[in-house]
Amino acid sequence: MAARSASPCPDANLMPSAHNLALVRAATLCLINRERALRGERPLRQDARLAAAAEAHTKNMIAEGFFGHYGPGGQTPADRLREAGWIRSGSVGYSIGENIAWGTGRFASPQAIVAAWMSSPPHRANILDAEFEATGIGVQAGVPGSLGEGRPGATYTEDFGVIIAG
């Protein structure tokens, strides 16, 4: 077990800030793919459209002061993926998933967020779903509304997907 807790992913313990978000996103993807590899799953590839949808949702949660998969106007993950161009038409088949998280202090690092997701059966299922091929990760410094009680932290969204028919 000691080898499992040592992270081969650079920057896994970074506290997200406005200046290091690209490093935090890369560390998060590295940790996700590490979990998949430990269980014999192929790595997820980064998709720019999934990332755009995830980033927009993360920013929206902070700006609008909510935390959830549905936006204040009822926008769903599928709506966001259509808007980002990942779902290109009504006749395409797809499978999607979404994980969201927020944390403050040391609980805002990629290592802490991925560990929390892996401890949650629905989040873990998304991460380990063999059907998913692509992912996009959105991370922003800050937390929605009063969730962080004024402490520095970060909010994360990870969108997963695979186009299954076209």
Side-chain angles (χ1 to χ4, degrees), residues 3-160:
R4 181 177 158 85
S5 64
S7 175
C9 298
D11 306 312
N13 291 307
L14 274 180
M15 173 64 174
S17 75
H19 306 291
N20 66 7
L21 295 177
L23 296 173
V24 171
R25 285 183 203 99
T28 304
L29 180 58
C30 176
L31 291 164
I32 294 292
N33 280 334
R34 182 172 167 259
E35 292 293 345
R36 289 175 63 88
L38 287 170
R39 289 156 186 88
E41 298 300 337
R42 68 181 181 276
L44 295 169
R45 66 177 165 71
Q46 178 74 4
D47 181 279
R49 291 166 297 182
L50 290 173
E55 192 67 29
H57 187 56
T58 303
K59 287 178 179 178
N60 193 38
M61 284 192 291
I62 293 170
E64 298 291 328
F66 75 96
F67 182 73
H69 295 286
Y70 296 91
Q75 186 184 41
T76 68
D79 294 333
R80 292 191 297 275
L81 295 180
R82 266 188 212 89
E83 188 176 302
W86 189 80
I87 300 172
R88 293 186 202 122
S89 75
S91 63
V92 69
Y94 57 88
S95 178
I96 61 173
E98 183 173 79
N99 287 350
I100 59 175
W102 66 273
T104 59
R106 65 186 173 91
F107 298 109
S109 73
Q111 183 77 44
I113 294 298
V114 172
W117 282 338
M118 290 303 291
S119 295
S120 163
H123 296 99
R124 179 186 178 97
N126 280 340
I127 289 169
L128 300 179
D129 190 323
E131 184 177 36
F132 291 142
E133 298 174 348
T135 191
I137 299 166
V139 181
Q140 287 293 302
V143 297
S146 64
L147 292 178
E149 299 176 353
R151 294 180 299 230
T155 303
Y156 291 67
T157 302
E158 182 172 19
D159 287 326
F160 303 85

